[in-house]
């Protein structure tokens, strides 16, 4: 839902706040794409949800730290996650480090937009 509203440019702060509250305890159930899309939507919409961003960051870092993780197999998910945190102005050094560690050996998979973002 938040992705659709952000893509359409529809401002719905009450909806975003309610979704942040509902998503917070369930972040670990989200797929890597859902984490990326959620962070992207909040950043694109300019809705501040620090607790949600913290939970997303923790989940991303946990998933990327697992040696056998198949999470974030799509380079776009990595790029969008980093873009969302940067755009939202969220301090997330651990997330950026984890994304960099995952991205470095896979840069050949990134298209030009993913490299630029």
């Amino acid at each position: 839902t938040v992705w659709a509203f952000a893509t359409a440019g529809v401002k719905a702060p009450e909806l975003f706040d309610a979704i942040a509250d509902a998503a917070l305890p369930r972040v670990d159930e989200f797929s890597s794409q859902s984490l990326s899309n959620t962070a992207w939507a909040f950043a694109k919409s300019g809705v501040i949800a620090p607790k949600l961003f913290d939970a997303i960051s923790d989940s991303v870092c946990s998933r990327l730290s697992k040696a056998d993780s198949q999470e974030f197999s799509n380079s776009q998910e990595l790029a969008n996650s980093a873009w969302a945190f940067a755009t939202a102005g969220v301090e997330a050094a651990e997330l950026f480090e984890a994304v960099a560690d995952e991205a470095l050996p896979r840069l050949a998979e990134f298209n030009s937009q993913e490299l630029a973002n």
Side-chain angles (χ1 to χ4, degrees):
T1 303
V2 289
W3 181 90
F5 275 72
T7 300
V10 176
K11 298 291 182 192
E14 289 179 13
L15 175 66
F16 275 76
D17 288 345
I19 288 176
D21 290 343
L24 192 57
R26 299 177 58 191
V27 162
D28 288 333
E29 298 172 19
F30 283 35
S31 68
S32 54
Q33 181 178 2
S34 294
L35 289 171
S36 172
N37 287 351
T38 301
W40 179 91
F42 275 82
K44 175 88 170 143
S45 296
V47 176
I48 312 269
K51 289 181 184 177
L52 179 60
F53 272 90
D54 286 346
I56 290 172
S57 176
D58 290 347
S59 186
V60 169
C61 291
S62 174
R63 294 172 193 214
L64 289 177
S65 71
K66 295 181 177 141
D68 62 344
S69 175
Q70 296 300 310
E71 295 286 340
F72 293 91
S73 59
N74 181 325
S75 56
Q76 183 178 7
E77 295 166 0
L78 286 170
N80 285 355
S81 296
W83 178 91
F85 277 78
T87 299
V90 175
E91 242 182 82
E94 187 179 349
L95 175 116
F96 284 107
E97 184 177 327
V99 168
D101 289 346
E102 181 71 18
L104 275 171
R106 298 174 46 193
L107 288 178
E109 300 171 24
F110 284 57
N111 66 32
S112 58
Q113 181 179 353
E114 294 161 355
L115 291 171
N117 285 349

